Amino acid sequence: MARPGLLLLLLALRPLQPSPLPRPDTTEGKVTIVGLILSALERATLFLEERLPGVNLDGVVGFRVLEAQLRGVQEEWAADPRLRPLSLRTRRLADKLAALLRRSVFYLELSDPRYLREFLPSLQPGFWKLPCTWTHTNTSLVYPVLEPEDSFSEESSDACLVQLLGTGNSSQPCRIPDFCRTLMTQPNCSGYRLSHQLLFFLWARMQGCTEGLFHQSQHYISVFCANMMELNRRAEAIGYAYPTRDLFMENSALAFCPQDKAGCS
Ligand SMILES: *[C@@H]1O[C@H](CO)[C@@H](O)[C@H](O)[C@H]1NC(C)=O
Ligand SMILES: *[C@@H]1O[C@H](CO)[C@@H](O)[C@H](O)[C@H]1NC(C)=O
Ligand SMILES: *[C@@H]1O[C@H](CO)[C@@H](O)[C@H](O)[C@H]1NC(C)=O
């Protein structure tokens, strides 16, 4: 799980930048902005379709999250007559994505069957549930001092996600070894380590893990979110200089900072 496939989306967004955006606080402004965003996402979906045989698993997960987000806003907008055309357009886009994502599994099976088997639950429709409430992050949770960034091991992080999903050779969902507990709860982290810590607890929630360490999932999500937001704020303040920008995109893609339980049923 390197970075969700939002790079594609940002590439697709680029041609829009020169025009000034209208204010989002009126319905007209909202309709215009949502229209622009949908156009960009439609381009990103075409991009996905053209490159489907070469898609990687991280990209598919990213698009699955996007599909869940589209379905969430689509339902919300359906209630407002002025937003109904956008709602329909959003649903068509989500349906198109869902069809592409089903097809993508065929190509993932060809390129890396073991990786696919381990991460398959996260690709299923319905794995990603959006939070009902979005929280304001609490700045008192921001770490006063950060650990120096050491090299991040994607293998260890992936191994912990596989344990969580219970898709390894001898693992059960939600049962994690001590090294994952240490890795995923270590304070004062930044960079990819921090974003994977948040990812881990978000996945635990999607997976329905509530025992042991996961009693405290909300606490860890709040801490990691507050720190992620703070790092994003600083990145923004310095104008997204490279290499911060890459991480900013990863962090923004994950910036789900949900409160309490996921899912609105
Ligand atoms: C922020 O977190 C601190 C420490 O956990 C807590 O005491 C405080 O009440 C929180 N503030 C808000 C607004 O939730
Ligand atoms: C995290 O940083 C705080 C404040 O600098 C420090 O007190 C704490 O010991 C650090 N924790 C770890 C595990 O490094
Ligand atoms: C799981 O088993 C397969 C086949 O026996 C083996 O190739 C693979 O390395 C094992 N995976 C892990 C994580 O132990």
Side-chain angles (χ1 to χ4, degrees):
M1 268 322 91
R3 53 218 71 167
L6 285 228
L7 180 60
L8 303 183
L9 306 187
L10 284 156
L11 287 175
L13 271 167
R14 218 166 18 180
L16 290 174
Q17 277 170 1
S19 56
L21 289 175
R23 296 172 58 82
D25 49 7
T26 61
T27 302
E28 295 74 43
K30 190 168 171 183
V31 167
T32 310
I33 290 181
V34 170
L36 290 172
I37 293 172
L38 282 177
S39 298
L41 295 178
E42 282 157 1
R43 283 200 298 279
T45 303
L46 278 180
F47 186 90
L48 172 68
E49 186 169 17
E50 283 164 11
R51 289 160 181 78
L52 204 61
V55 72
N56 66 16
L57 193 126
D58 297 355
V60 173
V61 172
F63 277 100
R64 187 57 92 188
V65 174
L66 173 63
E67 188 213 337
Q69 287 170 329
L70 290 173
R71 297 217 186 269
V73 292
Q74 183 257 315
E75 277 171 29
E76 194 186 312
W77 294 339
D80 182 339
R82 291 167 304 178
L83 297 177
R84 205 161 290 148
L86 288 176
S87 170
L88 287 174
R89 193 172 154 198
T90 305
R91 197 179 66 201
R92 276 197 301 274
L93 182 59
D95 290 345
K96 169 118 202 234
L97 265 179
L100 286 176
L101 294 176
R102 274 195 302 276
R103 279 173 55 202
S104 72
V105 172
F106 170 80
Y107 296 107
L108 294 175
E109 176 70 45
L110 292 181
S111 59
D112 194 342
R114 179 175 148 206
Y115 201 47
L116 174 64
R117 176 172 53 78
E118 290 177 339
F119 285 99
L120 195 58
S122 68
L123 303 183
Q124 299 301 322
F127 179 80
W128 292 96
K129 294 175 268 314
L130 294 183
C132 300
T133 49
W134 301 78
T135 177
H136 286 287
T137 55
N138 184 338
T139 48
S140 75
L141 301 175
V142 172
Y143 303 135
V145 180
L146 294 176
E147 292 273 304
E149 252 189 87
D150 49 2
S151 63
F152 167 73
S153 159
E154 191 150 347
E155 286 74 34
S156 314
S157 172
D158 277 357
C160 294
L161 289 172
V162 169
Q163 292 286 333
L164 197 62
L165 296 174
T167 47
N169 283 340
S170 60
S171 62
Q172 287 181 328
C174 305
R175 297 273 290 275
I176 56 154
D178 285 344
F179 94 89
C180 292
R181 173 188 290 261
T182 307
L183 184 70
M184 294 301 173
T185 61
Q186 190 192 347
N188 306 339
C189 295
S190 60
Y192 290 112
R193 201 178 279 278
L194 174 64
S195 62
H196 284 245
Q197 289 178 318
L198 177 57
L199 187 68
F200 179 80
F201 280 97
L202 289 174
W203 280 40
R205 174 172 284 181
M206 305 300 167
Q207 180 69 31
C209 306
T210 53
E211 300 295 313
L213 173 65
F214 301 113
H215 275 307
Q216 292 158 284
S217 287
Q218 182 59 51
H219 165 73
Y220 286 112
I221 288 172
S222 301
V223 171
F224 299 147
C225 265
N227 281 282
M228 192 92 99
M229 287 300 173
E230 175 62 16
L231 293 172
N232 282 354
R233 195 190 59 72
R234 286 185 213 162
E236 213 165 350
I238 60 169
Y240 314 112
Y242 182 84
T244 322
R245 186 163 53 178
D246 178 52
L247 198 58
F248 177 81
M249 293 192 296
E250 167 147 345
N251 289 0
S252 304
L254 285 176
F256 258 81
C257 302
Q259 186 101 52
D260 304 318
K261 282 196 160 44
C264 293
S265 49

